[in-house]
């Protein structure tokens, strides 16, 4: 295969993680890509929570929260700690916390592709940007 910068291509290839590691990374980002799972994880940024409290916090059924937590736990994104009969879930480690916080910081200063009508109306400047009224 022809290249422009063969030395750079060789460096990239040498530093590329294994196929398995890239697949695992894609799985984690896929898990984070579902809004309800993301809301669960954002809730857990504030500390451990049980299923019932998570469900109440994000207005989702306990069954749906439990199912999402099973997936997140299977991929080592959350951990469970039991106190008697109550299971409390936490973010698995600082790497997951960092991913969430960096992602939230990113969306906080970028223009969203899926802006709602209210957001579009609020951000609209009639003097420079045509507003849909």
């Amino acid at each position: 295969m022809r290249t422009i910068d063969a030395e750079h291509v060789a460096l990239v290839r040498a530093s590329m993680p294994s196929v398995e590691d890239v697949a695992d990374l894609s799985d984690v980002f896929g898990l984070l890509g579902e809004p309800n799972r993301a809301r669960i994880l954002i809730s857990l940024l504030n500390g451990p929570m049980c299923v019932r409290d998570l469900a109440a916090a994000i207005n989702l059924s306990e069954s749906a929260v439990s199912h999402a937590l099973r997936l997140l736990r299977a991929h080592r994104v959350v951990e469970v700690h039991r106190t008697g009969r109550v299971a409390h879930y936490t973010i698995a480690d600082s790497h997951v916390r960092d991913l969430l916080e960096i992602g939230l910081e990113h969306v906080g200063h970028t223009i969203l592709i899926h802006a709602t009508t209210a957001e579009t109306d609020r951000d609209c400047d009639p003097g420079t940007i045509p507003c849909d009224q």
Side-chain angles (χ1 to χ4, degrees), residues 32-44:
L32 298 176
E34 198 281 317
N36 288 326
R37 288 191 294 260
R39 292 177 352 150
I40 288 169
L41 292 170
I42 291 166
S43 298
L44 293 175

Side-chain angles (χ1 to χ4, degrees), residues 43-112:
S43 298
L44 293 175
L45 286 173
N46 294 305
M49 294 182 78
C50 67
V51 171
R52 180 170 289 168
D53 290 348
L54 278 167
I58 64 170
N59 199 29
L60 203 60
S61 73
E62 289 181 37
S63 174
V65 169
S66 290
H67 176 72
L69 287 167
R70 273 193 297 277
L71 287 172
L72 293 167
R73 197 168 156 215
H75 287 86
R76 301 178 319 271
V77 175
V78 299
E79 294 177 339
V80 64
H81 304 279
R82 297 193 182 276
T83 307
R85 294 175 56 180
V86 179
H88 285 88
Y89 291 84
T90 60
I91 303 254
D93 59 38
S94 63
H95 300 112
V96 175
R97 178 175 292 282
D98 291 346
L99 276 174
L100 291 167
E101 290 174 347
I102 290 169
L104 288 168
E105 184 178 336
H106 175 72
V107 298
H109 75 270
T110 58
I111 297 171
L112 297 176

Side-chain angles (χ1 to χ4, degrees), residues 2-22:
R2 293 178 42 184
T3 62
I4 301 294
D5 187 345
E7 189 175 318
H8 188 75
V9 170
L11 177 69
V12 169
R13 284 184 176 210
S15 65
M16 186 66 61
S18 70
V19 171
E20 294 82 10
D21 287 346
V22 171

